[in-house]
Amino acid sequence: MRLGLGAKFTLTVLAILALTMAGNTFYYLHSSTRFHEQQLLERGHALGRLISLVSPEAILGFDFLLLNDYTRQMSSQRDVVYGVIMSPKGVPLSSYIDDSDPAIKQRVKSTKSDDIPKLLRDLDREAGLVRLEFPISHNDAILGRFLVGISKQSLHDEFRRQLTIQMVVWTILVLFLSAAIHVVFRLKVLTPIQALIDASQRVGRGEHSLVKIDSADEIGLLGQAFNAMAEEVWQKQEKLYRQANFDTLTGLPNRMMALDRIHQAIQRSKRNRQRFALFFVDLDDFKSVNDSLGHAVGDQLLVATGTRVRAILRDADTVARLGGDEFLILAPDIDNEVQVAEIAERVIRAISEPQMLRGLKVMARCSIGIAIFPDNGDSLEKLMANADNAMYQAKATREGSAIFFTEEMNTRLRDRMQMEQDLNAATESGQMALFFQPIFDAARQVHRGAEVLLRWNHPEKGAVSPADFIPLAEATGQIIGIGDWVLEQACRNWSTWRASGIEPGFLAINISRIQFRKRISQRIAELISLYDIPAHAIELEITESVLLDDHRHVADELSALRAVGVTLSLDDFGTGYSSLSYLKRFRFDVLKIDRSFVAGLPSNSEDVLLVKAILAMARGLDLKVVAEGVENQPQLGFLTVQGCDLAQGYLLARPMDEAAYVKFLHGRQVDSDSVLRLAAVRSRQRRIGSSN
């Protein structure tokens, strides 16, 4: 059996008290017995000496009646068993035997009544008897001896009685003291210790628990130390809990807690047969806020976004930050899709409302993907994936929109993943090819160069649009390898054409934002040197998305490209938000007017005004202008009249593969040579005519 501290302490105290009391009792009884035995012997000596003093006269007078009377009086004293007066020869002169004691009575019965000496010898062997002998003399003559037998039985009886009394008293006292000490120990020690144990167990379970302190003794000091430790543990647990479950920037639940709450919502909804909605919220163009206004403003925008969204939702709803500029909303107990759409609209309005951050007016937009349980998935993984898919679909549709997940989106997602796998092997297996769309002098329609276009001929799907696979390649990072292949293939083609006697003009090559981050100037310099291409024959088309990155890095890289000698073109001019600021900050050689502005020429007044403004600004900045998407003669005529430098489009030439482009270049070169020969003949004829 396992004993507790209280039982062990009580047994220890009980044993100590019992041993102490027992030792004290035996010492007391032993001392008392020795004292009473000494008194008994002294009383026997006094009586014996008295008899020895008074009996000589009776012996000399042969007064045996008096001797018997002396002997009887002596033997009738308490504790005296016998008294015998013996002659010098050992003959009993007078005797008295008290046979009231059972042991003495047994001895007397077994011995003849007249055989006093034998009886005395038998009685002397009794351990409980003390034999005293006193000489009887007169004038120095021995008249006899007085023998006295004193019993210790009364002492033994008294000893047992006292022992019993002492044991009872001490037992009661020991038990009382043990109980009292146990109660005090339990109240003063065990109860506080048990409270500490209970509090420790609660702290171990993560509960905030302190003990009540009622004293200033060691137990009180121990309680104070425990409370201080528990408080520190609680604070650390709270800190760890918040670090593990809450976002440090916004204070909202983080991904871990969000996933746990979604799991709980799934279990609860399955039991109650209810629906809930999951919203994936992603801020649009958040990186541009960080790049243009700084990360501090970006952080404030995230905090403000979380606060605004939390304020417009119910208490039962969960708002979490998944990371970066992504937020998650869990809305339980949804009745219908209309209610879900209203929540999404409130979120969009709350986020898009302008706000002042560090003295700057900032307006954000967001894209929201929505998945509903159990309609769009009955597991955590499916709901998360489908809501994320819907969010990306919303981004692809337009900024500031919310889209519900559909099975069609799931199909597109699977297609996207398959396309990503196929894209890995596209360049190695020869599925990629370069096409070239010629660029002409707008006024004279003379060929100047071509824009390099990438085409993917899938073995099963056929031609895959660049609008489908280029964004995917950029998102997965595959664009780096693909873009490098395009650069090298274009340089190799140009070098081959020049070696064959063809003048290819310049090649305009689109550069991805991801490529630009990888120090593309070094790679361009290597390719120009490797294929012996004049730097001006390469024109790099850079979109505004490239310029959204770190401005210092962009400026350094553009300077390095300019040092190499390549031509820099700002592509899709007018479709971004800060084109004028880019022209002021960065130096370009060419502007490309986006096809969306050319399409309305010359009938759309807004497009007319915009294109005129771009051309006027370009002349002021000494920039050449290329208009893309020219598809009819009125468009070309308008651009020519307004002084546009270069043009490309289906009216002039469609994109063509390498073989067709080489044939096109041969035809152009033959025409050019014919024109030159005809001009030379006419010039010679004019000179001959003038000489005649």
Side-chain angles (χ1 to χ4, degrees), residues 3 34 44 70 98-99 112 153 170 180 191 208 286 314 320-321 381 385 457 465 521 529 560 611 614 619-620 622 687:
L3 298 178
R34 291 186 61 185
Y70 288 160
D98 184 5
D99 59 355
K112 296 180 179 180
Q153 185 63 41
W170 288 123
T191 300
H208 187 205
F286 177 72
R314 303 169 298 177
R321 183 189 177 204
E381 293 76 12
N457 186 26
S465 172
S521 58
S529 175
V611 170
I614 293 175
R619 283 193 294 271
D622 195 21
R687 287 198 300 271

Side-chain angles (χ1 to χ4, degrees), residues 281-289 301 325-326 348 351 363-368 391-392 394-396 398-402 577:
V281 182
D282 186 88
L283 299 183
D284 297 325
D285 292 329
F286 177 72
K287 181 171 177 52
S288 64
V289 176
L301 178 59
D325 58 345
E326 291 186 348
I348 292 174
I351 293 177
M363 186 178 72
R365 292 183 179 179
C366 67
S367 299
I368 301 178
M391 184 269 290
Y392 279 106
K395 274 188 171 297
R398 62 182 176 86
E399 295 181 351
S401 63
Y577 300 101

Side-chain angles (χ1 to χ4, degrees), residues 79-129:
D79 298 323
V80 177
V81 176
Y82 67 86
V84 179
I85 297 177
M86 302 288 289
S87 66
K89 294 181 179 181
V91 178
L93 300 178
S94 176
S95 64
Y96 181 82
I97 305 298
D98 184 5
D99 59 355
S100 60
D101 186 273
I104 301 301
K105 188 176 183 178
Q106 185 67 27
R107 292 287 185 181
V108 172
K109 286 183 179 181
S110 63
T111 306
K112 296 180 179 180
S113 60
D114 56 349
D115 195 355
I116 297 301
K118 183 177 182 307
L119 178 61
L120 292 179
R121 287 195 298 272
D122 292 341
L123 291 176
D124 288 343
R125 287 196 291 268
E126 290 290 334
L129 289 178

Side-chain angles (χ1 to χ4, degrees), residues 194-211:
Q194 187 61 47
L196 283 171
I197 293 174
D198 295 340
S200 299
Q201 292 175 344
R202 289 192 295 272
V203 170
R205 292 193 299 267
E207 302 175 8
H208 187 205
S209 179
L210 300 178
V211 296

Side-chain angles (χ1 to χ4, degrees), residues 393-410:
Q393 184 65 25
K395 274 188 171 297
T397 304
R398 62 182 176 86
E399 295 181 351
S401 63
I403 290 183
F404 285 84
F405 172 80
T406 63
E407 187 58 35
E408 182 184 355
M409 293 182 192
N410 207 0

Side-chain angles (χ1 to χ4, degrees), residues 529-551:
S529 175
L530 177 64
Y531 292 103
D532 191 22
I533 302 173
H536 64 80
I538 302 297
E539 180 179 305
L540 299 183
E541 295 188 355
I542 300 172
T543 61
E544 291 184 9
S545 62
V546 173
L547 308 179
L548 291 175
D549 288 328
D550 179 34
H551 292 164

